[in-house]
Amino acid sequence: MTDGTADTQELWPQLLQAVKERMRFAWILLSQNASVLFYDGTTLTLNMFSPGAYDTLINSDCRSVLEEVLAEFPNPPPAVELLVQGRTPSPPDLPSSEGPT
């Protein structure tokens, strides 16, 4: 597989513009809190700058808007991976079976 990171980084502003046309909130979130980290031809890896931005992206329609926009570009990636500050986000703390203390 080839490294298409540089090409994807150049396309990032166009992707963001397409996101903006669909959902302004998603554009604000992504333009201020995400960058292209890597693209290997099959997976686009985005780096989210903060856990809060990641949570907002995951818990809103923003991710689906991003995926819709990516699907319209030539050679869309079949997968989008999100990292937080360069690392895989940890799963949320599981609630205790004893309930809140």
Side-chain angles (χ1 to χ4, degrees):
M1 295 197 188
T2 62
D3 183 355
T5 304
D7 292 339
T8 305
Q9 287 171 333
E10 289 178 18
L11 283 175
W12 186 240
Q14 294 174 35
L15 290 167
L16 289 175
Q17 183 60 38
V19 167
K20 182 180 181 181
E21 292 169 5
R22 290 179 186 239
M23 179 187 248
R24 190 168 180 83
F25 177 71
W27 167 74
I28 291 169
L29 181 67
L30 290 166
S31 66
Q32 295 178 3
N33 297 289
S35 66
V36 174
L37 190 62
F38 188 73
Y39 179 61
D40 66 2
T42 59
T43 302
L44 173 63
T45 304
L46 298 179
N47 185 44
M48 300 298 294
F49 302 140
S50 74
Y54 169 83
D55 290 343
T56 301
L57 182 69
I58 295 301
N59 295 317
S60 68
D61 291 336
C62 297
R63 183 172 180 146
S64 62
V65 169
L66 173 63
E67 290 171 348
E68 288 171 11
V69 166
L70 286 169
E72 295 175 1
F73 273 74
N75 304 316
V80 176
E81 178 181 31
L82 299 171
L83 301 180
V84 177
Q85 298 172 341
R87 293 184 225 133
T88 303
S90 57
D93 293 331
L94 298 174
S96 168
S97 60
E98 298 172 11
T101 56

